[in-house]
Amino acid sequence: MQRYDIAIIGSGPAGLSAAINAKIRNKNIIIFGYEDFSSKLIKAPKINNYLGFHGISGLELKEKFKEHIEAMNIEITYERVNNIYAMGEYFSIMVNETIYEAKSVVVATGIEYTKPLKGEEEFLGKGVGYCATCDAPLYRNKIVTVIGYNKEAEEEANYVSELASKLYYIPMYKSNYELRDGIEIVQDKPMDIIGKDRVEKLILSSRQLETDGLFILKDSISPAQLVPGLLMEEGHIKVDRTMKTNIEGCFAAGDCIGRPYQYIKASGEGLIAALSAVSYVDSKRI
Amino acid sequence: MMKEIMDSNFKEEVQNQSGVVVVDFWASWCGPCKMLSPVIEELSNEMTIAKFTKVNVDENPQSSQNFNIASIPTLLVFKDGKVVDTMVGFRPKAELEQLVKKYI
Protein backbone atom coordinates (compact mmCIF):
# COMPACT_ATOMS: atom_id res chain seq x y z
CA MET A 1 0.00 0.00 0.00
CA GLN A 2 1.26 3.45 -0.79
CA ARG A 3 1.77 5.64 2.27
CA TYR A 4 1.09 9.32 1.64
CA ASP A 5 3.20 12.01 3.31
CA ILE A 6 0.19 14.09 4.28
CA ALA A 7 -3.53 13.31 4.29
CA ILE A 8 -5.78 16.36 4.40
CA ILE A 9 -9.31 15.85 5.65
CA GLY A 10 -11.63 18.53 4.32
CA SER A 11 -11.82 20.68 1.19
CA GLY A 12 -12.80 24.07 2.58
CA PRO A 13 -10.36 27.01 2.50
CA ALA A 14 -8.20 25.48 5.27
CA GLY A 15 -7.89 22.10 3.55
CA LEU A 16 -7.27 23.55 0.09
CA SER A 17 -4.67 25.98 1.38
CA ALA A 18 -2.96 23.11 3.20
CA ALA A 19 -3.02 21.09 -0.03
CA ILE A 20 -1.42 23.73 -2.24
CA ASN A 21 1.30 24.48 0.30
CA ALA A 22 2.12 20.82 0.87
CA LYS A 23 2.21 20.32 -2.90
CA ILE A 24 4.54 23.32 -3.36
CA ARG A 25 6.84 21.62 -0.86
CA ASN A 26 6.77 18.54 -3.05
CA LYS A 27 4.96 16.24 -0.67
CA ASN A 28 2.88 13.27 -1.72
CA ILE A 29 -0.59 14.24 -0.57
CA ILE A 30 -4.18 13.03 -0.58
CA ILE A 31 -7.07 15.38 0.13
CA PHE A 32 -10.58 14.19 0.99
CA GLY A 33 -13.58 16.41 0.34
CA TYR A 34 -16.59 17.34 -1.75
CA GLU A 35 -17.14 18.47 -5.32
CA ASP A 36 -18.56 21.75 -4.01
CA PHE A 37 -15.53 22.02 -1.68
CA SER A 38 -17.60 23.47 1.15
CA SER A 39 -21.35 23.87 1.49
CA LYS A 40 -20.81 27.07 3.47
CA LEU A 41 -18.66 28.62 0.75
CA ILE A 42 -21.15 28.16 -2.08
CA LYS A 43 -23.95 29.60 0.04
CA ALA A 44 -22.18 32.90 0.80
CA PRO A 45 -23.86 35.71 -1.19
CA LYS A 46 -21.07 38.29 -0.90
CA ILE A 47 -17.62 38.24 0.63
CA ASN A 48 -15.81 41.50 1.37
CA ASN A 49 -13.14 40.38 3.79
CA TYR A 50 -11.06 38.02 1.70
CA LEU A 51 -8.02 40.13 0.80
CA GLY A 52 -7.74 40.70 -2.93
CA PHE A 53 -11.32 39.68 -3.79
CA HIS A 54 -13.59 42.56 -2.85
CA GLY A 55 -17.29 41.93 -3.52
CA ILE A 56 -16.86 38.35 -4.69
CA SER A 57 -19.64 35.77 -4.21
CA GLY A 58 -19.03 32.43 -2.56
CA LEU A 59 -19.62 30.63 -5.85
CA GLU A 60 -17.12 32.85 -7.67
CA LEU A 61 -14.54 32.33 -4.96
CA LYS A 62 -15.12 28.59 -5.18
CA GLU A 63 -14.38 28.78 -8.95
CA LYS A 64 -11.13 30.65 -8.18
CA PHE A 65 -10.16 27.95 -5.70
CA LYS A 66 -10.98 25.32 -8.31
CA GLU A 67 -8.80 26.96 -10.97
CA HIS A 68 -6.00 27.21 -8.45
CA ILE A 69 -5.93 23.56 -7.40
CA GLU A 70 -6.42 22.36 -10.98
CA ALA A 71 -3.48 24.46 -12.11
CA MET A 72 -1.43 22.67 -9.46
CA ASN A 73 -2.75 19.22 -10.42
CA ILE A 74 -4.35 18.61 -7.09
CA GLU A 75 -7.20 16.13 -7.25
CA ILE A 76 -9.72 15.80 -4.50
CA THR A 77 -10.76 12.33 -3.39
CA TYR A 78 -14.54 12.48 -3.08
CA GLU A 79 -14.89 10.08 -0.22
CA ARG A 80 -16.04 10.34 3.35
CA VAL A 81 -13.50 9.60 6.03
CA ASN A 82 -15.02 7.60 8.88
CA ASN A 83 -12.11 7.27 11.28
CA ILE A 84 -8.45 8.10 11.60
CA TYR A 85 -6.34 5.92 13.86
CA ALA A 86 -2.95 7.05 15.17
CA MET A 87 -0.92 3.87 14.80
CA GLY A 88 2.33 5.41 16.01
CA GLU A 89 4.55 5.87 12.97
CA TYR A 90 1.61 6.48 10.66
CA PHE A 91 -2.14 7.02 10.50
CA SER A 92 -4.76 4.59 9.21
CA ILE A 93 -7.55 6.44 7.45
CA MET A 94 -10.74 4.41 7.19
CA VAL A 95 -12.98 5.19 4.24
CA ASN A 96 -15.81 2.66 4.10
CA GLU A 97 -14.16 -0.43 2.65
CA THR A 98 -10.78 1.18 1.92
CA ILE A 99 -7.93 1.99 4.27
CA TYR A 100 -5.45 4.73 3.34
CA GLU A 101 -2.19 5.35 5.15
CA ALA A 102 -0.39 8.62 5.73
CA LYS A 103 2.59 9.72 7.80
CA SER A 104 0.78 12.86 8.94
CA VAL A 105 -2.74 14.24 8.93
CA VAL A 106 -4.26 17.71 8.67
CA VAL A 107 -7.80 17.85 10.04
CA ALA A 108 -9.76 20.64 8.33
CA THR A 109 -13.32 19.45 8.72
CA GLY A 110 -15.03 22.73 9.57
CA ILE A 111 -17.63 22.96 12.27
CA GLU A 112 -20.94 21.41 11.36
CA TYR A 113 -21.32 18.52 13.70
CA THR A 114 -24.42 18.30 15.83
CA LYS A 115 -24.16 18.71 19.55
CA PRO A 116 -24.17 15.52 21.62
CA LEU A 117 -27.41 14.51 23.31
CA LYS A 118 -27.75 15.03 27.01
CA GLY A 119 -26.11 12.00 28.63
CA GLU A 120 -24.42 10.88 25.40
CA GLU A 121 -20.86 11.48 26.56
CA GLU A 122 -21.53 10.30 30.10
CA PHE A 123 -22.82 6.90 28.92
CA LEU A 124 -20.39 6.35 26.07
CA GLY A 125 -19.21 2.76 26.41
CA LYS A 126 -21.89 2.15 29.04
CA GLY A 127 -24.66 1.47 26.58
CA VAL A 128 -24.06 4.36 24.18
CA GLY A 129 -22.08 3.48 21.08
CA TYR A 130 -21.30 4.84 17.63
CA CYS A 131 -20.58 1.57 15.82
CA ALA A 132 -23.64 -0.66 15.87
CA THR A 133 -22.05 -3.39 13.80
CA CYS A 134 -19.05 -3.47 16.18
CA ASP A 135 -21.06 -3.89 19.35
CA ALA A 136 -24.15 -5.75 18.11
CA PRO A 137 -23.17 -9.17 19.52
CA LEU A 138 -22.91 -7.64 23.00
CA TYR A 139 -26.64 -6.89 22.76
CA ARG A 140 -27.87 -10.37 21.94
CA ASN A 141 -31.46 -10.70 23.22
CA LYS A 142 -31.43 -7.19 24.61
CA ILE A 143 -33.35 -4.04 23.76
CA VAL A 144 -31.53 -1.69 21.43
CA THR A 145 -32.39 1.77 20.12
CA VAL A 146 -30.81 3.27 17.02
CA ILE A 147 -30.94 7.02 16.41
CA GLY A 148 -30.24 7.32 12.71
CA TYR A 149 -29.26 10.55 10.97
CA ASN A 150 -28.95 9.03 7.47
CA LYS A 151 -29.94 6.11 5.22
CA GLU A 152 -26.81 4.10 6.09
CA ALA A 153 -28.02 3.85 9.66
CA GLU A 154 -30.92 1.70 8.42
CA GLU A 155 -28.51 -0.97 7.28
CA GLU A 156 -26.84 -1.07 10.68
CA ALA A 157 -30.23 -1.17 12.40
CA ASN A 158 -31.27 -4.13 10.23
CA TYR A 159 -28.13 -5.99 11.20
CA VAL A 160 -28.51 -5.33 14.92
CA SER A 161 -32.18 -6.36 14.81
CA GLU A 162 -31.12 -9.90 13.89
CA LEU A 163 -29.55 -10.24 17.33
CA ALA A 164 -31.49 -7.90 19.58
CA SER A 165 -34.77 -8.91 21.18
CA LYS A 166 -36.31 -5.55 20.28
CA LEU A 167 -35.14 -2.69 18.13
CA TYR A 168 -36.41 0.86 18.09
CA TYR A 169 -35.40 3.04 15.17
CA ILE A 170 -35.57 6.80 15.58
CA PRO A 171 -35.07 8.50 12.20
CA MET A 172 -33.73 12.05 12.25
CA TYR A 173 -34.56 12.52 8.54
CA LYS A 174 -37.49 11.92 6.22
CA SER A 175 -37.40 9.06 3.75
CA ASN A 176 -38.88 5.67 2.94
CA TYR A 177 -37.30 3.60 5.63
CA GLU A 178 -36.00 0.26 4.43
CA LEU A 179 -36.17 -1.59 7.69
CA ARG A 180 -36.79 -5.21 8.54
CA ASP A 181 -40.16 -6.32 9.88
CA GLY A 182 -40.30 -6.14 13.65
CA ILE A 183 -38.28 -2.94 13.93
CA GLU A 184 -40.39 -0.27 15.60
CA ILE A 185 -40.03 3.15 14.03
CA VAL A 186 -40.37 5.92 16.59
CA GLN A 187 -40.97 9.37 15.11
CA ASP A 188 -40.01 11.51 18.06
CA LYS A 189 -37.26 13.82 19.24
CA PRO A 190 -34.59 12.34 21.55
CA MET A 191 -33.96 14.58 24.55
CA ASP A 192 -32.03 12.83 27.28
CA ILE A 193 -30.28 9.57 28.10
CA ILE A 194 -30.64 8.35 31.65
CA GLY A 195 -29.47 5.46 33.79
CA LYS A 196 -27.34 4.60 36.78
CA ASP A 197 -24.16 2.76 35.87
CA ARG A 198 -25.33 2.20 32.34
CA VAL A 199 -28.04 3.26 29.94
CA GLU A 200 -31.53 2.44 31.11
CA LYS A 201 -33.85 4.82 29.31
CA LEU A 202 -34.04 7.20 26.41
CA ILE A 203 -36.32 10.14 27.04
CA LEU A 204 -38.07 11.47 23.95
CA SER A 205 -40.23 14.57 23.82
CA SER A 206 -43.46 12.60 24.16
CA ARG A 207 -42.49 9.13 25.34
CA GLN A 208 -39.78 7.11 27.08
CA LEU A 209 -38.06 3.99 25.82
CA GLU A 210 -36.52 1.41 28.08
CA THR A 211 -33.37 0.30 26.33
CA ASP A 212 -30.14 -1.57 27.10
CA GLY A 213 -28.20 -0.09 24.24
CA LEU A 214 -28.30 3.12 22.26
CA PHE A 215 -26.50 3.70 18.99
CA ILE A 216 -26.20 7.23 17.65
CA LEU A 217 -25.33 7.14 13.95
CA LYS A 218 -24.64 10.65 12.72
CA ASP A 219 -23.83 12.26 9.42
CA SER A 220 -21.02 14.42 10.66
CA ILE A 221 -19.08 13.44 13.71
CA SER A 222 -17.01 15.48 16.10
CA PRO A 223 -13.22 15.56 15.55
CA ALA A 224 -12.68 13.56 18.76
CA GLN A 225 -14.75 10.74 17.30
CA LEU A 226 -13.10 11.07 13.91
CA VAL A 227 -9.63 10.86 15.46
CA PRO A 228 -9.90 8.87 18.69
CA GLY A 229 -7.68 10.38 21.37
CA LEU A 230 -7.74 13.90 19.90
CA LEU A 231 -7.86 16.53 22.62
CA MET A 232 -10.69 19.05 22.38
CA GLU A 233 -11.26 22.28 24.25
CA GLU A 234 -14.68 23.91 24.38
CA GLY A 235 -15.92 22.18 21.25
CA HIS A 236 -12.80 22.82 19.16
CA ILE A 237 -9.61 20.90 18.50
CA LYS A 238 -6.85 22.12 20.78
CA VAL A 239 -3.79 23.28 18.81
CA ASP A 240 -0.68 25.35 19.44
CA ARG A 241 0.68 28.15 17.21
CA THR A 242 2.07 25.62 14.75
CA MET A 243 -1.38 23.95 14.46
CA LYS A 244 -0.07 20.90 16.27
CA THR A 245 -2.65 18.81 18.18
CA ASN A 246 -1.96 16.53 21.17
CA ILE A 247 -1.33 13.61 18.78
CA GLU A 248 2.10 13.54 17.21
CA GLY A 249 1.86 14.03 13.44
CA CYS A 250 -1.72 15.28 13.57
CA PHE A 251 -2.37 18.93 12.77
CA ALA A 252 -5.61 20.91 12.44
CA ALA A 253 -6.77 24.12 10.78
CA GLY A 254 -9.85 26.24 10.11
CA ASP A 255 -13.19 26.45 11.88
CA CYS A 256 -12.62 23.14 13.67
CA ILE A 257 -9.88 24.74 15.82
CA GLY A 258 -11.87 27.79 16.90
CA ARG A 259 -13.36 31.17 16.19
CA PRO A 260 -13.51 33.44 14.30
CA TYR A 261 -15.05 31.38 11.50
CA GLN A 262 -13.59 33.21 8.49
CA TYR A 263 -12.21 32.15 5.09
CA ILE A 264 -8.87 33.91 5.25
CA LYS A 265 -8.19 32.81 8.82
CA ALA A 266 -8.87 29.22 7.73
CA SER A 267 -6.57 29.58 4.70
CA GLY A 268 -3.78 30.99 6.84
CA GLU A 269 -4.08 28.17 9.33
CA GLY A 270 -4.14 25.62 6.52
CA LEU A 271 -0.82 27.05 5.35
CA ILE A 272 0.71 26.80 8.85
CA ALA A 273 -0.64 23.26 9.35
CA ALA A 274 0.78 22.12 6.01
CA LEU A 275 4.23 23.57 6.73
CA SER A 276 4.22 21.99 10.20
CA ALA A 277 3.25 18.66 8.65
CA VAL A 278 6.07 19.06 6.10
CA SER A 279 8.63 19.63 8.87
CA TYR A 280 7.24 16.68 10.79
CA VAL A 281 7.45 14.33 7.80
CA ASP A 282 10.99 15.57 6.98
CA SER A 283 12.13 15.07 10.57
CA LYS A 284 11.01 11.44 10.41
CA ARG A 285 13.03 10.70 7.29
CA ILE A 286 16.55 9.78 8.26
CA MET B 1 3.42 -10.72 23.98
CA MET B 2 -0.22 -10.56 24.93
CA LYS B 3 -1.73 -13.60 26.53
CA GLU B 4 -5.14 -14.83 25.37
CA ILE B 5 -7.47 -15.24 28.32
CA MET B 6 -10.58 -17.42 28.40
CA ASP B 7 -13.61 -17.42 30.67
CA SER B 8 -12.13 -20.51 32.31
CA ASN B 9 -8.85 -18.92 33.39
CA PHE B 10 -9.85 -15.26 33.75
CA LYS B 11 -9.85 -15.43 37.54
CA GLU B 12 -6.50 -17.11 37.75
CA GLU B 13 -4.76 -14.99 35.10
CA VAL B 14 -6.28 -11.58 35.93
CA GLN B 15 -8.12 -11.36 39.22
CA ASN B 16 -5.71 -13.45 41.25
CA GLN B 17 -2.66 -11.57 39.99
CA SER B 18 -0.87 -8.92 41.95
CA GLY B 19 0.35 -5.83 40.12
CA VAL B 20 -1.10 -4.30 36.97
CA VAL B 21 -2.94 -6.42 34.41
CA VAL B 22 -4.38 -4.85 31.26
CA VAL B 23 -7.23 -6.67 29.54
CA ASP B 24 -8.20 -5.85 25.96
CA PHE B 25 -11.75 -6.96 25.13
CA TRP B 26 -11.95 -7.44 21.38
CA ALA B 27 -13.52 -9.39 18.53
CA SER B 28 -12.36 -10.27 15.06
CA TRP B 29 -15.20 -8.44 13.28
CA CYS B 30 -14.59 -5.11 15.04
CA GLY B 31 -12.57 -2.64 12.96
CA PRO B 32 -11.34 -0.39 15.77
CA CYS B 33 -10.26 -3.52 17.71
CA LYS B 34 -8.12 -4.62 14.80
CA MET B 35 -6.46 -1.20 14.74
CA LEU B 36 -5.90 -1.17 18.49
CA SER B 37 -4.38 -4.67 18.69
CA PRO B 38 -1.01 -3.88 17.09
CA VAL B 39 -0.76 -0.67 19.13
CA ILE B 40 -1.25 -2.52 22.43
CA GLU B 41 0.97 -5.33 21.26
CA GLU B 42 3.74 -2.79 20.70
CA LEU B 43 3.14 -1.23 24.10
CA SER B 44 3.17 -4.64 25.80
CA ASN B 45 6.65 -5.23 24.42
CA GLU B 46 7.86 -1.91 25.82
CA MET B 47 6.10 -2.02 29.19
CA THR B 48 7.10 -5.39 30.54
CA ILE B 49 6.33 -4.18 34.06
CA ALA B 50 2.60 -4.73 33.41
CA LYS B 51 0.89 -7.87 32.18
CA PHE B 52 -1.05 -7.43 28.94
CA THR B 53 -3.85 -9.80 28.04
CA LYS B 54 -6.75 -10.03 25.61
CA VAL B 55 -10.21 -11.54 25.73
CA ASN B 56 -12.19 -12.43 22.64
CA VAL B 57 -15.75 -11.41 23.59
CA ASP B 58 -17.28 -13.78 21.04
CA GLU B 59 -15.75 -16.82 22.62
CA ASN B 60 -15.90 -15.59 26.21
CA PRO B 61 -19.29 -14.00 26.87
CA GLN B 62 -19.11 -14.61 30.61
CA SER B 63 -16.09 -12.39 31.22
CA SER B 64 -17.54 -9.60 29.09
CA GLN B 65 -20.79 -9.84 30.99
CA ASN B 66 -19.14 -9.91 34.42
CA PHE B 67 -17.39 -6.64 33.67
CA ASN B 68 -20.29 -4.99 31.86
CA ILE B 69 -18.53 -4.62 28.55
CA ALA B 70 -20.96 -2.62 26.39
CA SER B 71 -18.64 -1.48 23.60
CA ILE B 72 -15.52 -2.85 22.07
CA PRO B 73 -12.67 -2.28 22.11
CA THR B 74 -12.69 -1.75 25.88
CA LEU B 75 -9.54 -1.86 27.97
CA LEU B 76 -9.76 -2.68 31.64
CA VAL B 77 -6.83 -1.99 33.92
CA PHE B 78 -6.66 -4.28 36.96
CA LYS B 79 -4.48 -3.63 39.96
CA ASP B 80 -4.11 -6.42 42.48
CA GLY B 81 -7.20 -8.07 41.02
CA LYS B 82 -9.50 -5.05 41.03
CA VAL B 83 -10.62 -2.87 38.13
CA VAL B 84 -9.00 0.54 38.56
CA ASP B 85 -9.60 2.06 35.13
CA THR B 86 -11.58 1.63 31.93
CA MET B 87 -10.95 2.96 28.45
CA VAL B 88 -13.48 2.62 25.67
CA GLY B 89 -12.58 2.83 22.01
CA PHE B 90 -9.33 3.22 20.11
CA ARG B 91 -6.61 5.39 21.68
CA PRO B 92 -3.12 6.33 20.50
CA LYS B 93 -0.19 4.58 22.14
CA ALA B 94 0.98 7.59 24.14
CA GLU B 95 -2.40 7.81 25.85
CA LEU B 96 -2.48 4.09 26.64
CA GLU B 97 0.99 4.30 28.08
CA GLN B 98 -0.05 7.15 30.38
CA LEU B 99 -3.12 5.20 31.48
CA VAL B 100 -1.10 2.15 32.50
CA LYS B 101 1.70 4.21 34.07
CA LYS B 102 -0.74 5.78 36.51
CA TYR B 103 -1.01 2.45 38.33
CA ILE B 104 2.60 1.35 38.36
Side-chain angles (χ1 to χ4, degrees), chain A residues 19-149:
Chain A
I20 61 165
N21 284 288
K23 186 91 177 182
I24 289 168
R25 298 293 297 267
N26 220 4
K27 290 291 172 257
N28 181 12
I29 64 164
I30 183 165
I31 169 169
F32 295 93
Y34 303 103
E35 271 174 80
D36 284 340
F37 294 162
S38 148
S39 59
K40 284 181 205 153
L41 181 61
I42 59 167
K43 279 181 201 150
K46 198 132 276 200
I47 300 161
N48 282 322
N49 68 347
Y50 200 106
L51 186 65
F53 293 96
H54 184 262
I56 199 167
S57 75
L59 267 176
E60 286 166 335
L61 189 58
K62 183 214 137 191
E63 284 307 313
K64 294 277 183 198
F65 288 169
K66 191 164 180 241
E67 281 167 31
H68 193 155
I69 65 160
E70 277 174 2
M72 293 186 64
N73 289 320
I74 294 169
E75 268 180 49
I76 294 178
T77 303
Y78 302 122
E79 284 187 292
R80 211 182 104 97
V81 174
N82 295 320
N83 280 112
I84 300 167
Y85 297 115
M87 305 300 291
E89 290 296 295
Y90 67 97
F91 293 84
S92 278
I93 299 155
M94 320 294 285
V95 179
N96 297 324
E97 303 304 304
T98 321
I99 303 177
Y100 295 90
E101 286 184 7
K103 294 176 198 165
S104 71
V105 167
V106 175
V107 179
T109 47
I111 190 149
E112 270 183 289
Y113 43 91
T114 40
K115 275 202 180 137
L117 287 174
K118 207 163 156 248
E120 180 178 329
E121 281 158 337
E122 181 192 344
F123 289 109
L124 183 62
K126 296 173 184 164
V128 171
Y130 299 123
C131 177
T133 47
C134 289
D135 300 338
L138 299 166
Y139 291 96
R140 202 179 292 273
N141 299 323
K142 290 188 174 168
I143 306 170
V144 177
T145 304
V146 174
I147 304 177
Y149 285 76

Side-chain angles (χ1 to χ4, degrees), chain A residues 2-284:
Chain A
Q2 93 154 298
R3 189 173 288 176
Y4 294 94
D5 290 322
I6 304 171
I8 297 157
I9 322 301
S11 58
L16 295 177
S17 167
I20 61 165
N21 284 288
K23 186 91 177 182
I24 289 168
R25 298 293 297 267
N26 220 4
K27 290 291 172 257
N28 181 12
I29 64 164
I30 183 165
I31 169 169
F32 295 93
Y34 303 103
E35 271 174 80
D36 284 340
F37 294 162
S38 148
S39 59
K40 284 181 205 153
L41 181 61
I42 59 167
K43 279 181 201 150
K46 198 132 276 200
I47 300 161
N48 282 322
N49 68 347
Y50 200 106
L51 186 65
F53 293 96
H54 184 262
I56 199 167
S57 75
L59 267 176
E60 286 166 335
L61 189 58
K62 183 214 137 191
E63 284 307 313
K64 294 277 183 198
F65 288 169
K66 191 164 180 241
E67 281 167 31
H68 193 155
I69 65 160
E70 277 174 2
M72 293 186 64
N73 289 320
I74 294 169
E75 268 180 49
I76 294 178
T77 303
Y78 302 122
E79 284 187 292
R80 211 182 104 97
V81 174
N82 295 320
N83 280 112
I84 300 167
Y85 297 115
M87 305 300 291
E89 290 296 295
Y90 67 97
F91 293 84
S92 278
I93 299 155
M94 320 294 285
V95 179
N96 297 324
E97 303 304 304
T98 321
I99 303 177
Y100 295 90
E101 286 184 7
K103 294 176 198 165
S104 71
V105 167
V106 175
V107 179
T109 47
I111 190 149
E112 270 183 289
Y113 43 91
T114 40
K115 275 202 180 137
L117 287 174
K118 207 163 156 248
E120 180 178 329
E121 281 158 337
E122 181 192 344
F123 289 109
L124 183 62
K126 296 173 184 164
V128 171
Y130 299 123
C131 177
T133 47
C134 289
D135 300 338
L138 299 166
Y139 291 96
R140 202 179 292 273
N141 299 323
K142 290 188 174 168
I143 306 170
V144 177
T145 304
V146 174
I147 304 177
Y149 285 76
N150 53 37
K151 287 295 283 180
E152 287 95 76
E154 293 168 23
E155 216 172 290
E156 292 206 50
N158 283 334
Y159 171 65
V160 179
S161 76
E162 292 173 20
L163 298 155
S165 62
K166 169 86 192 167
L167 195 125
Y168 296 105
Y169 188 78
I170 306 174
M172 304 299 282
Y173 56 95
K174 285 201 166 41
S175 168
N176 290 321
Y177 309 115
E178 288 162 57
L179 292 165
R180 280 164 52 113
D181 291 342
I183 294 180
E184 185 177 335
I185 299 175
V186 180
Q187 301 267 16
D188 205 340
K189 190 174 180 289
M191 311 289 285
D192 197 358
I193 303 160
I194 57 168
K196 266 196 210 145
D197 299 329
R198 47 182 301 151
V199 171
E200 287 165 17
K201 269 184 197 164
L202 174 68
I203 313 291
L204 300 144
S205 60
S206 59
R207 72 181 276 196
Q208 298 191 354
L209 299 177
E210 279 192 29
T211 190
D212 299 305
L214 180 63
F215 291 103
I216 304 170
L217 309 178
K218 285 179 188 169
D219 231 352
S220 52
I221 56 175
S222 89
Q225 261 175 267
L226 181 71
V227 190
L230 194 62
L231 189 63
M232 305 281 290
E233 198 176 57
E234 288 166 25
H236 297 106
I237 302 170
K238 194 175 178 190
V239 293
D240 68 5
R241 272 208 83 242
T242 65
M243 305 298 135
K244 200 167 92 178
T245 70
N246 67 313
I247 298 175
E248 211 194 343
C250 179
F251 305 86
D255 290 356
C256 62
I257 70 167
R259 288 173 200 279
Y261 304 149
Q262 300 291 340
Y263 300 120
I264 208 156
K265 167 211 172 254
S267 315
E269 289 167 350
L271 155 78
I272 300 170
L275 296 186
S276 297
V278 167
S279 321
Y280 171 79
V281 170
D282 287 346
S283 74
K284 290 276 158 185

Side-chain angles (χ1 to χ4, degrees), chain B:
Chain B
M1 263 309 280
M2 293 179 67
K3 186 162 189 177
E4 283 253 28
I5 306 288
M6 305 292 177
D7 278 346
S8 56
N9 62 355
F10 194 93
K11 207 172 164 93
E12 180 194 339
E13 294 284 353
V14 179
Q15 288 164 289
N16 292 349
Q17 297 281 321
S18 55
V20 176
V21 185
V22 180
V23 187
D24 173 20
F25 290 86
W26 70 287
S28 56
W29 33 259
C30 151
C33 301
K34 268 193 246 172
M35 289 290 134
L36 188 64
S37 293
V39 178
I40 303 187
E41 190 83 48
E42 211 179 293
L43 187 65
S44 74
N45 293 330
E46 292 166 17
M47 291 189 88
T48 45
I49 191 157
K51 179 176 174 180
F52 287 80
T53 65
K54 54 184 173 183
V55 172
N56 184 323
V57 297
D58 260 349
E59 293 159 12
N60 304 284
Q62 198 55 52
S63 306
S64 352
Q65 213 160 35
N66 290 349
F67 293 96
N68 263 327
I69 305 302
S71 275
I72 51 170
T74 287
L75 280 195
L76 294 186
V77 183
F78 285 79
K79 179 153 192 180
D80 299 332
K82 289 200 176 65
V83 181
V84 286
D85 221 323
T86 308
M87 198 172 254
V88 178
F90 180 94
R91 287 294 192 285
K93 195 170 93 184
E95 204 178 325
L96 298 174
E97 192 178 347
Q98 273 180 358
L99 173 82
V100 180
K101 265 195 181 149
K102 273 203 296 195
Y103 302 100
I104 287 171

